[in-house]
């Protein structure tokens, strides 16, 4: 089998199965792992496949640029952005906790981690352990109802004292946002 034929076979398997280890490809093609690496090199350079912690995966064609919110398409470059890490090792960006929580609610079975940034310290935190303040009297020019993430429940309560709003755990925040947004357009300033 020629290298071009092996490359096409590898792409076919990856399309069908998502991710494969080099050793598995080597075994299936009955060639050495070094040959597989040589076959993968042009595919990696052409951005047709990429290395993951589990082996080699195809690069999915995304119609939404990765720097835009997967939910409302606004730029997801602010310090309020949220990342959803999926089981297939892809990462979806959301512009704010509001959109991140809504998206998580839609695809939670596919998500292994949701990360956001603490509003006060700008540190990366797990969304699952964060405290969320909804509807504070502070205009952040983002999606409504506004959601702010805090690592510390104590700091969230102190912030709430000055700016109002309602505090919620991760699961409570998803339920509140989903309920408020049923039938509404969320992403207006």
């Amino acid at each position: 089998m020629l290298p071009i034929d092996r490359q096409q076979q590898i792409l076919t398997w990856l399309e069908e199965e998502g991710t494969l280890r080099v050793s598995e490809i080597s075994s299936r093609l009955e060639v050495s792992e070094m040959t597989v690496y040589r076959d993968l090199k042009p595919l990696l350079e052409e951005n047709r496949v990429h290395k993951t912690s589990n082996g080699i995966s195809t690069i999915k064609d995304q119609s939404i640029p990765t720097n835009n919110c997967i939910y409302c398409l606004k730029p997801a470059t602010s310090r309020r952005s949220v990342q959803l890490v999926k089981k297939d090792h892809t990462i979806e960006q959301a512009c704010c906790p509001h959109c991140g929580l809504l998206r998580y609610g839609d695809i939670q079975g596919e998500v292994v981690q949701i990360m956001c940034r603490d509003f006060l310290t700008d540190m990366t935190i797990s969304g699952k352990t964060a405290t969320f303040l909804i509807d504070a009297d502070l205009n952040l020019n983002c999606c409504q109802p506004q959601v702010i993430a805090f690592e510390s429940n104590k700091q969230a309560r102190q912030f709430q004292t000055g700016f109002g709003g309602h505090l919620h755990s991760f699961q409570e925040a998803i339920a509140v946002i989903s309920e408020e947004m049923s039938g509404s357009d969320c992403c207006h300033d």
Side-chain angles (χ1 to χ4, degrees):
M1 186 180 278
L2 294 172
I4 191 79
D5 297 325
R6 289 192 303 266
Q7 290 170 346
Q8 189 54 52
Q9 183 60 61
I10 291 168
L11 289 171
T12 300
W13 287 332
L14 289 172
E15 285 296 322
E16 293 169 356
E17 301 174 44
T19 301
L20 287 171
R21 294 191 180 279
V22 171
S23 59
E24 176 66 23
I25 296 169
S26 169
S27 175
R28 289 183 188 186
L29 291 174
E30 298 178 351
V31 296
S32 71
E33 288 185 17
M34 184 55 70
T35 299
V36 173
Y37 281 113
R38 278 194 298 270
D39 290 343
L40 289 173
K41 187 175 188 241
L43 298 175
L44 288 162
E45 290 170 354
E46 295 167 10
N47 289 322
R48 296 181 73 190
V49 300
H50 65 100
K51 294 179 184 178
T52 69
S53 59
N54 287 335
I56 304 296
S57 295
T58 56
I59 295 179
K60 297 186 178 7
D61 180 27
Q62 296 182 341
S63 58
I64 300 170
T66 57
N67 61 343
N68 284 9
C69 180
I70 192 75
Y71 208 80
C72 73
L73 305 180
K74 287 181 182 178
T77 55
S78 79
R79 61 181 280 209
R80 292 183 311 279
S81 64
V82 173
Q83 293 78 41
L84 292 96
V85 181
K86 297 169 64 177
K87 289 179 181 176
D88 66 0
H89 304 284
T90 59
I91 298 174
E92 290 187 0
Q93 300 282 340
C95 64
C96 62
H98 168 106
C99 289
L101 292 171
L102 285 172
R103 182 65 176 158
Y104 182 88
D106 291 344
I107 64 165
Q108 61 187 340
E110 300 173 39
V111 177
V112 293
Q113 179 63 274
I114 178 170
M115 296 177 298
C116 49
R117 299 186 77 75
D118 179 271
F119 185 73
L120 296 176
T121 65
D122 198 29
M123 296 290 291
T124 301
I125 59 174
S126 169
K128 293 179 180 180
T129 60
T131 299
F132 295 93
L133 180 62
I134 300 176
D135 277 334
D137 187 21
L138 175 69
N139 187 359
L140 297 174
N141 294 317
C142 205
C143 304
Q144 299 293 326
Q146 206 162 248
V147 181
I148 303 171
F150 295 90
E151 180 178 33
S152 163
N153 187 277
K154 178 182 176 186
Q155 289 179 339
R157 285 194 317 271
Q158 291 171 334
F159 194 87
Q160 179 192 34
T161 300
F163 291 96
H166 306 282
L167 294 175
H168 300 282
S169 68
F170 177 67
Q171 290 296 336
E172 292 169 347
I174 292 171
V176 168
I177 292 295
S178 296
E179 177 66 29
E180 284 195 35
M181 297 317 306
S182 54
S184 298
D185 178 21
C186 68
C187 303
H188 62 278
D189 294 339

